[in-house]
């Protein structure tokens, strides 16, 4: 399959990394298979996470097809790029089509990227995750690989102005060991195990991060490490309020 859009986008991302002197550390990339389908399940703390989660697959020379909300594909600029990179649109009112497209991609040997929390975590901890990624991996009989990102929230996250001129920001990308879910009636135990593994990776990335916030920048540190990010409970209330406002007539 000829790729006309993805390689130039990767090249542009590398130019951006160099311009900002981002210090990206990838650990565990050997866990991503060089051939065959796989589901990468990443935490979600930034609008740029798809770039960095995709970076985890570059040592294996894989291109990740991400599932993203339909609105991104409707945008006049991002839409053509997303379609050109063969990402998969998700219409939350009609999710069956996206699930079918994702399953077909996995069976065709693609690497699928999923943010199982569905939305950005304001608390920078792992929110409740959906079972879709587990179901897809089990149905396609492919490995499911947890990924933890940390540092990307400093560039652009929910509720904060984007700061794409900030230089020298460390970005940590940890790739966990594969899981091999099988088709069962109840996926809850596997979802719980995935959540546990993702949380362990994220917390490790946070504790081992090479920088601490400067005075006035404590917003990007989770509350449990002394930062001023919302607690998971506060973040859940903020999400609920936002959802109610969005659905109001």
């Amino acid at each position: 399959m000829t790729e006309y859009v993805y390689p130039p986008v990767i090249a542009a991302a590398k130019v951006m990394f160099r311009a900002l002197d981002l210090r990206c550390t990838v650990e565990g990339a050997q866990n991503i298979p060089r051939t065959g389908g796989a589901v990468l399940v990443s935490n979600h703390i930034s609008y740029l996470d798809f770039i960095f989660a995709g970076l985890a697959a570059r040592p294996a020379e894989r291109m990740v097809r991400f599932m993203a909300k339909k609105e991104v594909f409707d945008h006049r600029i991002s839409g053509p790029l997303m379609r050109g990179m063969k990402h998969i649109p998700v219409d939350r009112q009609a999710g069956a089509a996206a699930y079918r497209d994702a399953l077909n991609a996995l069976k065709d040997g693609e690497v699928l990227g999923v943010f199982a929390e569905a939305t950005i975590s304001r608390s920078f901890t792992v929110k409740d995750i959906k079972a879709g990624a587990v179901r897809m991996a089990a149905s396609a009989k492919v490995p499911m690989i947890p990924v933890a990102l940390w540092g990307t929230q400093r560039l652009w996250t929910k509720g904060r102005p984007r700061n794409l001129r900030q230089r020298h920001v460390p970005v940590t990308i940890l790739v966990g060991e594969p899981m091999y879910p099988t088709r069962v009636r109840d996926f809850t135990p596997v979802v719980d195990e995935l959540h546990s593994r993702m949380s362990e990776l994220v917390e490790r990335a946070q504790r081992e991060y090479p920088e601490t916030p400067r005075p006035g920048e404590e917003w990007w540190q989770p509350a449990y490490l002394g930062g001023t990010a919302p607690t998971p409970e506060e973040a859940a209330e903020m999400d609920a309020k936002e959802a109610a406002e969005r659905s109001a007539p």
Side-chain angles (χ1 to χ4, degrees):
M1 182 186 300
T2 303
E3 299 282 352
Y4 295 106
V5 178
Y6 220 140
V9 170
I10 292 173
K14 289 181 177 179
V15 170
M16 181 186 77
F17 294 164
R18 287 195 294 270
L20 296 177
D21 192 25
L22 297 182
R23 292 176 282 162
C24 297
T25 300
V26 181
E27 183 180 319
Q30 72 277 3
N31 290 321
I32 297 177
R34 289 188 170 271
T35 60
V39 180
L40 301 190
V41 189
S42 174
N43 67 315
H44 200 8
I45 54 174
S46 166
Y47 292 109
L48 303 175
D49 284 341
F50 70 96
I51 296 175
F52 295 96
L55 185 63
R58 294 311 300 146
E61 300 181 345
R62 306 300 302 274
M63 295 181 183
V64 184
R65 316 299 178 181
F66 285 94
M67 301 186 74
K69 60 183 180 181
K70 178 178 176 292
E71 290 78 3
V72 178
F73 291 78
D74 294 337
H75 192 274
R76 64 184 182 86
I77 296 176
S78 62
L81 289 174
M82 296 294 283
R83 288 188 289 273
M85 289 185 283
K86 302 178 179 64
H87 296 315
I88 298 173
V90 178
D91 184 344
R92 293 176 180 173
Q93 305 303 316
Y99 182 86
R100 182 179 61 251
D101 291 343
L103 203 59
N104 287 337
L106 289 171
K107 291 178 178 178
D108 287 341
E110 298 282 5
V111 177
L112 188 72
V114 177
F115 297 108
E117 298 164 281
T119 59
I120 289 175
S121 171
R122 301 175 192 260
S123 69
F124 305 138
T125 60
V126 181
K127 300 166 59 175
D128 289 342
I129 60 178
K130 312 298 183 184
V134 177
R135 290 176 55 219
M136 287 187 291
S139 296
K141 300 179 180 178
V142 300
M144 181 174 63
I145 304 167
V147 176
L149 304 175
W150 188 245
T152 62
Q153 80 280 12
R154 297 176 62 183
L155 300 171
W156 190 11
T157 192
K158 181 177 285 189
R160 302 288 307 186
R162 61 186 174 190
N163 189 1
L164 300 182
R165 295 184 178 181
Q166 186 174 190
R167 292 171 56 81
H168 317 304
V169 173
V171 173
T172 301
I173 306 165
L174 301 181
V175 183
E177 294 185 0
M179 301 172 62
Y180 297 89
T182 57
R183 297 187 68 172
V184 293
R185 184 167 298 179
D186 182 10
F187 286 109
T188 301
V190 187
V191 172
D192 291 344
E193 175 65 17
L194 175 61
H195 187 280
S196 176
R197 292 196 188 193
M198 290 178 64
S199 296
E200 289 177 5
L201 286 171
V202 170
E203 290 172 14
R204 179 186 153 205
Q206 291 169 342
R207 293 186 185 279
E208 296 179 358
Y209 194 64
E211 292 186 2
T212 56
R214 298 175 181 174
E217 295 185 350
E218 295 88 350
W219 64 266
W220 60 260
Q221 188 82 307
Y224 86 97
L225 287 179
T228 58
T231 65
E233 294 75 19
E234 291 168 341
E237 291 181 6
M238 295 168 71
D239 287 344
K241 181 179 179 181
E242 181 181 77
E245 292 173 350
R246 191 166 53 242
S247 62

